[in-house]
Amino acid sequence: MTDPLAWRWTAGKALAYALGLVLFLAVAHVDESALVAQSVAMNFVDATDQAGIEFTHVNGASAQKHIAETMGSGALFFDFDNDGWLDLFLVDGGSVTDPAIAKRARHRLYRNRGAGAAGTAASASRRFEDVTAASGIQHREYGMGACAADYDNDDRVDLFVTNLGPDVLYHNDGHGAFTDVTRRAGVGSNLLGASCAFADIDNDGDVDLFVANYVDPDPSKVCGDARARAYCRPDVYAGVPSALYRNNGDGTFTDVTKTSGLDRSDGKALGVVFADYDSDGRVDLFVANDLTRNFLYHNEGNGVFKEVGLPAGVAVASDGRVRAGMGTDVGDYDGDGKLDLVVTNFESEAHSVFRNLGGGLFADGTFESGLGPATLPFLGFGVAFLDYDNDTDLDLVIANGHVLDNTSLFKSTSKYAQRNLLLRNEGHGRFTEVGRQSGPGFALEKVSRTVVTGDIDNDGDLDLLVSNNGQSADLLRNDTEGLGNALRVKLRGRQSNRDGIGALVVATVGSRRLVREVRAGSSYLGQHDVRVHFGLGRASVVDRLDVRWPSGRVDVLKAIASQQDVTVAEGAGIVDSHPLNRR
Amino acid sequence: MRETPGAAPVYVPARYADGFRLVHAGRYDEAAAALQQAIERDPLAATDETLDERVHAAAAMREGSLTGAIARLERAVAQRPDATELRRMLAMAYAGDERYGQSLEQLSAAIQRDGRDERSRLTSVEILIASGQTDAAERLLVETIALLPESGQAYYRLARLYQAQSRIREAIAAFTSSAERPVLVGRDSLYETIAALRVSEGEFGDAIAASRVELEVNPNNAAAHRRLGDLYAQDGRLGESLAEFAAALFIDPRDADTHASRAQTLLRMSRFADAVAAARTAVTLRPSHEAAHYALGTALLRTGKTDEGLATLQKFEQLQAAARARRDAEWQLKLLKEQAVEQVARQDYRAAADLLRRAVAYAPPDGSVHLAAGALLIKAGEYEDAIPLLQEAVAREALEAHRYLAEAYAALHRDDESRAHQAAYDAVKGARLRRGVAIQ
């Protein structure tokens, strides 16, 4: 005879199971609207002082209006001491004309004290400590940009700095010490370097290096008019070739600019991003050029790149005109699984977004996406695709600031200091500008250059670091309450390069596939955290995580709980995990 | 009384504005009375004893006899110091002779005698601007508008001044105010300007509204329909964009720009075959059309016609390179000119002239650079070097060079040649005066 209690238990279990299934389906397998956390009021606060960051960029602005003075400077997030807390590096400029001012310039390396800073009265109080002096990082040339990657796979991320003058590669020796290895490595180009990026172009297990070089900054050029002297447009200067260095795997690099097909002077490169836009397993290269057409270099797989920007539809805007390309980033903003491009441009040009159609073709989606009207009055530099509200789709942040310190003389409505933009993805590849409603951090009006993203307090949302020309840098902490869930993924390459740079990481959540690529270098003169961040909305589980490594290996992981920071090793799955510290 | 569109705006003078408003309202008897009253107070319409002097002076100016006109007007002003129109004419004659100070004195006297003399005020503004006194010109315009709020011309001139100074928002406001005053002709071009300024500010909605008013004034303006189509496209309103292009092509089916714009919109709508057809038409109509080639190449690639698409994009690249070379030359020219201006400010005319000599390589065919270089060499006392440049300027129809050639030859004691060039210059000046073009 059946025990009625047993029946009741079974029925209750079945009911609970059914309810659970319904809930599970509601969370994980129904339409995307169920995933998305309710729209919340964003709150980015200026945490610079509180976090202990004291950095004011020295631009050396002079009456001679040297072009370099208005370009910089860069910044990046990286975890140089492998403690799981994001550190940061700020590039300083200098002076072209005054040695005394040049001496005041000093790059800054800030270590995130992490858990040591947490738990204090103000949990983020003095989170960062200036460890520049002990690091051995020195300021020798007028600095521009930076990127970082573990080029020798020794498990410590190294640092590259571009300059007006020889670029510098710093090897991370561990224990907070860096050594200048430029000469041995052979990467000290003397051209005016701008952005840089690391990626494994030949999938041989180590990262190679691309340096975007801008122009020959001939100081004899004089611009302006009867009203005033002004910084010259790029048309005035001759372009110079950028540089591609292949990693020899022994601490040295070979300059393969010529043999790879990148040796061309008809570009004026400022921004760069590596991305495998056609998913053929080989990382390609996009270069944003200033007032010349952008380059898209398709990786042909034999050490050769083929420039295909024009037929691909990313070289010029839809009207056939070149734009003043500055910064760039890659991300799947329309959720179709293909990597799209964003490029910041000059005031009155609108920043561009190029939608990846597949088959190696892009469509200019600037106006359809809403980016056009929102960005038209701004002169953009740094840019990032990011999911700042953890609602699963990629939003945009853009750092703005004019290049002319006297721009209002030439156009009354033009401003040198400009506000930065935060563009919320409405879910259908349409953006709405919400900066004014996103907290005091977006009320700042400065001469911004780079913006990079990373989670400085490991609370699962993305914070921002903004560099400003001739002004203090800004750390904008995302203090928004009630955001959706998140998952952060750090990769550990074994056959592939150590940080899995270039790996494609796809999170499947319900019916949605969230596509990210691991990158070391993008935006403008900067680099976001290389760890992959997925906003998950209300979903508490990632159903499936696919990692396609640069080696070609594909790892598939299933049912990964949200609110974690996981480390995935090539061929070994999750080897480490930590909870994200939600506020 | 209908507006004639398509021309630069001409405004009803402030004193006639009420009369014109009454005409527009159909109150003809009141309008006639108001206009009659305005005529009676208009110094230009006065039929007193100054009329003869004015007619003769105007005739002298038309014949190119500036000196004669000035002498006659000076006598007349001495006899009738309260005749403001005489003073205004004398001021214009002085300005024609580049005697700006005396010109402004006469205008100031005219305004003192009749503060509501709109013509003297606006002429004064022009002389102030011609003599580089833009701040004073702005002050006078603002004062004129306060005194004569119906002066559409004052608003318009102020708008143009703001526009020249890149004070875009103020320019938009002033243009809009001018459009609200009675305009005899050219209201459409006013709204075209307002729309263009709105676009430069990223205000597509307002630009579209202005462009629509422009088309209400002149619905048969194909270029205006195309511009409105482009605005709709930039605002993401692709269907409305195509409708405007259709209207433009109905009026002017051979406009390559409209076909090219239409091709771009069709591309954005993924109507690739239609885009190919539209772009092909544009390229046929204007084989040098860069944007049409880009649209055609892109559309061909989208339809799988890879070889033809790539060949078209290659052609686009060639056109773009040629255009870039032209722009670079223009830019180099501009730079060298600006550097020359700096040297002039330092009174180093030799250095300035050397810069302009370099600029000759980038110079347009109009001879203006040769003229400027020659003039600077004369200031530097390098008469021999100046002559070939000035002769080249004359050959390129920069006829003001005669004046400097006369000066150079005189300095070299080659008096016959100097006299010949002075005569040539006087002839040019006279011809221009007859056409009403001031020599500056």
Side-chain angles (χ1 to χ4, degrees):
Chain A
M1 188 175 167
T2 309
D3 180 351
L5 284 176
W7 181 89
R8 270 187 293 176
W9 180 87
T10 306
K13 190 171 153 188
L15 184 61
Y17 177 79
L19 280 170
L21 186 63
V22 167
L23 285 171
F24 175 75
L25 286 171
V27 169
H29 294 289
V30 292
D31 71 350
E32 61 195 49
S33 63
L35 281 177
V36 179
Q38 208 153 23
S39 183
V40 293
M42 296 305 299
N43 186 24
F44 282 91
V45 300
D46 181 356
T48 318
D49 294 341
Q50 188 190 29
I53 294 169
E54 295 167 5
F55 173 84
T56 297
H57 174 245
V58 177
N59 64 9
S62 66
Q64 288 82 0
K65 303 282 181 195
H66 194 289
I67 186 76
E69 295 163 2
T70 195
M71 290 173 64
S73 66
L76 59 81
F77 278 127
F78 68 153
D79 181 10
F80 77 84
D81 53 359
N82 282 333
D83 65 353
W85 294 89
L86 264 190
D87 311 301
L88 64 90
F89 179 73
L90 290 154
V91 182
D92 209 349
S95 172
V96 180
T97 56
D98 188 335
I101 294 174
K103 272 186 188 166
R104 293 210 303 264
R106 197 166 67 91
H107 303 316
R108 299 288 205 292
L109 179 67
Y110 279 99
R111 190 179 76 84
N112 190 333
R113 294 163 60 225
T120 56
S123 64
S125 177
R126 312 289 306 172
R127 175 176 291 283
F128 289 92
E129 68 174 311
D130 184 345
V131 294
T132 316
S135 73
I137 294 171
Q138 294 186 341
H139 182 277
R140 294 199 190 93
E141 306 288 343
Y142 193 113
M144 285 291 162
C147 51
D150 181 5
Y151 74 89
D152 56 352
N153 290 330
D154 66 352
D155 208 17
R156 292 186 292 264
V157 64
D158 310 296
L159 178 67
F160 186 77
V161 181
T162 63
N163 290 310
L164 168 65
D167 303 326
V168 181
L169 177 64
Y170 289 102
H171 179 260
N172 185 341
D173 303 331
H175 309 294
F178 288 79
T179 302
D180 180 347
V181 293
T182 313
R183 190 182 295 267
R184 175 166 188 271
V187 292
S189 165
N190 202 26
L191 299 172
L192 172 50
S195 300
C196 57
F198 286 99
D200 186 358
I201 58 169
D202 45 8
N203 289 336
D204 65 349
D206 52 38
V207 290
D208 310 289
L209 171 64
F210 178 84
V211 182
N213 290 319
Y214 186 40
V215 294
D216 173 10
D218 180 351
S220 71
K221 305 288 187 186
V222 177
C223 301
D225 62 19
R227 285 169 284 186
R229 192 159 169 176
Y231 290 106
C232 290
R233 287 158 52 102
D235 319 43
V236 174
Y237 304 105
V240 291
S242 294
L244 181 65
Y245 301 102
R246 186 171 52 75
N247 191 333
N248 299 323
D250 59 358
T252 68
F253 290 78
T254 300
D255 186 341
V256 293
T257 312
K258 283 187 179 157
T259 56
S260 64
L262 271 65
D263 183 30
R264 47 191 308 164
S265 304
D266 55 343
K268 292 167 184 176
L270 285 176
V272 59
V273 64
F274 279 108
D276 181 9
Y277 72 90
D278 58 350
S279 298
D280 65 356
R282 294 185 292 265
V283 72
D284 311 296
L285 175 65
F286 176 78
V287 179
N289 284 313
D290 193 0
L291 276 185
T292 63
R293 61 193 178 88
N294 300 319
F295 296 146
L296 179 61
Y297 290 106
H298 181 256
N299 189 337
E300 302 282 294
N302 49 1
V304 172
F305 286 81
K306 184 180 176 189
E307 206 286 295
V308 296
L310 207 49
V314 298
V316 294
S318 60
D319 58 7
R321 294 191 185 135
V322 295
R323 297 285 192 263
M326 307 287 186
T328 183
D329 202 9
V330 167
D332 175 21
Y333 79 92
D334 55 358
D336 66 354
K338 297 184 281 286
L339 295 170
D340 312 298
L341 269 166
V342 64
V343 187
T344 51
N345 296 316
F346 208 80
E347 181 182 73
S348 301
E349 285 186 340
H351 306 339
S352 305
V353 66
F354 295 103
R355 193 162 47 85
N356 192 335
L357 303 173
L361 299 174
F362 290 78
D364 185 343
T366 302
F367 288 96
E368 281 76 2
S369 66
L371 193 64
T375 61
L376 206 67
F378 299 93
L379 200 170
F381 279 97
V383 61
F385 278 118
L386 78 167
D387 184 1
Y388 69 78
D389 50 2
N390 284 351
D391 70 349
T392 73
D393 50 27
L394 286 177
D395 314 293
L396 274 170
V397 61
I398 299 174
N400 298 305
H402 213 285
V403 292
L404 302 182
D405 51 358
N406 49 6
T407 183
S408 57
L409 276 181
F410 302 96
K411 185 180 176 190
S412 66
T413 50
S414 179
K415 291 184 353 185
Y416 184 39
Q418 302 180 353
R419 70 184 179 90
N420 297 325
L421 301 177
L422 193 63
L423 294 118
R424 185 178 62 216
N425 191 331
E426 302 293 359
H428 306 285
R430 287 279 306 179
F431 294 101
T432 302
E433 210 282 302
V434 295
R436 289 188 195 280
Q437 302 96 53
S438 299
F442 276 89
L444 299 170
E445 287 196 3
K446 287 189 168 181
V447 187
S448 296
R449 291 297 181 254
T450 198
V451 58
V452 291
T453 68
D455 182 1
I456 58 163
D457 42 9
N458 284 340
D459 65 351
D461 57 38
L462 289 173
D463 311 296
L464 306 169
L465 176 63
V466 182
S467 73
N468 301 298
N469 183 278
Q471 297 172 316
S472 58
D474 299 314
L475 183 67
L476 307 184
R477 196 179 58 227
N478 189 342
D479 277 1
T480 311
E481 302 287 345
L483 287 179
N485 294 325
L487 176 72
R488 194 167 59 227
V489 181
K490 178 181 178 181
L491 297 186
R492 304 286 294 152
R494 289 183 170 170
Q495 190 183 342
S496 303
N497 67 81
R498 188 59 56 95
D499 289 325
I501 291 162
L504 186 75
V505 187
V506 181
T508 304
V509 186
S511 60
R512 300 195 63 172
R513 294 177 76 242
L514 312 179
V515 176
R516 306 283 189 270
E517 218 175 50
V518 181
R519 247 183 297 288
S522 59
S523 188
Y524 171 78
L525 306 180
Q527 178 174 319
H528 314 303
D529 180 11
V530 296
R531 296 173 299 180
V532 170
H533 169 266
F534 291 104
L536 300 174
R538 291 174 180 154
S540 56
V541 174
V542 169
D543 303 321
R544 172 183 165 126
L545 190 75
D546 291 60
V547 182
R548 191 190 71 192
W549 296 86
S551 65
R553 180 187 175 87
V554 177
D555 287 332
V556 180
L557 295 85
K558 294 194 173 168
I560 305 165
S562 68
Q563 299 304 92
Q564 288 192 92
D565 179 5
V566 298
T567 301
V568 176
E570 190 172 9
I574 295 174
V575 294
D576 195 9
S577 68
H578 301 277
L580 290 171
N581 304 323
R582 303 301 298 191
R583 60 182 66 250
Chain B
M1 207 57 74
R2 295 180 60 186
E3 288 177 306
T4 306
V10 175
Y11 296 86
V12 174
R15 71 174 72 242
Y16 295 96
D18 284 345
F20 273 77
R21 285 226 169 82
L22 290 165
V23 170
H24 276 294
R27 293 157 62 183
Y28 299 115
D29 289 343
E30 291 167 79
L35 289 170
Q36 183 60 43
Q37 215 171 30
I39 289 169
E40 283 164 9
R41 288 200 296 266
D42 188 345
L44 191 67
T47 53
D48 54 19
E49 63 270 34
T50 67
L51 183 61
D52 265 6
E53 293 295 343
R54 286 189 276 133
V55 169
H56 282 110
M61 279 201 275
R62 275 198 298 276
E63 285 161 13
S65 175
L66 203 53
T67 318
I70 288 172
R72 183 176 275 275
L73 286 164
E74 280 175 340
R75 278 198 305 276
V77 166
Q79 286 164 11
R80 292 292 308 271
D82 290 333
T84 56
E85 184 57 19
L86 274 178
R87 286 186 182 274
R88 194 180 72 88
M89 288 185 74
L90 179 56
M92 288 172 68
Y94 281 145
D97 206 32
E98 297 173 33
R99 292 152 68 178
Y100 296 122
Q102 287 170 279
S103 175
L104 288 169
E105 276 173 25
Q106 289 301 325
L107 290 164
S108 177
I111 294 167
Q112 267 180 3
R113 282 165 174 78
D114 179 2
R116 302 181 70 81
D117 181 356
E118 185 184 12
R119 286 192 193 85
S120 289
R121 285 176 168 274
L122 292 173
T123 304
S124 192
V125 165
E126 294 306 327
I127 307 299
L128 285 167
I129 289 170
S131 57
Q133 301 177 61
T134 47
D135 288 349
E138 182 186 343
R139 281 195 299 276
L140 183 56
L141 283 166
V142 171
E143 182 191 300
T144 302
I145 287 167
L147 193 71
L148 305 168
E150 289 304 313
S151 176
Q153 186 66 36
Y155 274 112
Y156 179 73
R157 195 62 192 86
L158 185 62
R160 285 187 50 214
L161 189 64
Y162 288 146
Q163 192 182 6
Q165 295 173 345
S166 304
R167 294 160 67 178
I168 305 300
R169 291 207 177 278
E170 290 157 288
I172 290 171
F175 275 126
T176 305
S177 295
S178 83
E180 289 160 0
R181 271 69 196 169
V183 183
L184 280 175
V185 295
R187 197 160 157 259
D188 60 341
S189 70
L190 261 179
Y191 280 97
E192 179 189 342
T193 305
I194 292 169
L197 292 174
R198 292 284 190 194
V199 169
S200 76
E201 295 301 296
E203 297 164 349
F204 289 106
D206 292 332
I208 286 169
S211 194
R212 290 175 68 96
V213 177
E214 179 193 355
L215 278 164
E216 279 168 20
V217 177
N218 182 10
N220 292 324
N221 185 342
H225 281 289
R226 172 176 47 76
R227 285 194 297 269
L228 180 55
D230 286 337
L231 282 174
Y232 277 131
Q234 285 181 297
D235 206 32
R237 296 157 69 173
L238 301 184
E240 289 154 291
S241 165
L242 283 184
E244 289 303 324
F245 294 142
L249 291 173
F250 185 74
I251 299 163
D252 182 1
R254 295 185 60 76
D255 182 57
D257 289 335
T258 306
H259 287 289
S261 289
R262 185 167 172 268
Q264 286 171 24
T265 296
L266 290 165
L267 250 178
R268 286 168 62 180
M269 297 170 87
S270 300
R271 290 171 55 183
F272 301 126
D274 292 337
V276 167
R280 270 197 210 287
T281 308
V283 166
T284 305
L285 288 167
R286 198 193 307 158
S288 64
H289 203 299
E290 284 179 58
H293 276 91
Y294 182 67
L296 178 58
T298 307
L300 286 165
L301 288 177
R302 299 285 194 272
T303 53
K305 294 176 179 169
T306 309
D307 291 343
E308 192 187 355
L310 291 174
T312 307
L313 288 177
Q314 199 170 19
K315 173 72 179 167
F316 164 72
E317 275 190 279
Q318 290 164 0
L319 290 169
Q320 210 184 32
R324 190 166 53 243
R326 280 195 302 276
R327 280 196 303 274
D328 286 351
E330 286 167 10
W331 186 254
Q332 290 298 338
L333 177 63
K334 180 173 176 283
L335 273 186
L336 288 165
K337 279 181 169 176
E338 285 166 1
Q339 290 173 28
V341 167
E342 279 195 4
Q343 295 301 333
V344 168
R346 292 177 196 154
Q347 299 193 324
D348 189 346
Y349 301 115
R350 176 90 239 180
D354 284 346
L355 285 162
L356 288 184
R357 272 209 186 98
R358 281 167 55 200
V360 162
Y362 307 106
D366 66 3
S368 60
V369 177
H370 294 82
L371 171 65
L376 286 168
L377 282 168
I378 285 176
K379 279 201 166 183
E382 308 281 349
Y383 302 108
E384 295 277 11
D385 287 356
I387 287 171
L389 283 167
L390 292 166
Q391 284 172 335
E392 182 62 30
V394 169
R396 290 168 181 245
E397 301 290 314
L399 299 179
E400 287 88 347
H402 283 301
R403 169 183 157 190
Y404 295 104
L405 278 166
E407 195 178 336
Y409 283 123
L412 295 169
H413 307 294
R414 293 161 65 175
D415 296 335
D416 290 347
E417 287 152 299
S418 176
R419 273 193 292 275
H421 281 288
Q422 186 60 51
Y425 176 63
D426 289 342
V428 170
K429 203 159 72 164
R432 291 206 173 168
L433 271 175
R434 281 193 292 281
R435 294 204 309 267
V437 181
I439 295 181
Q440 294 182 14

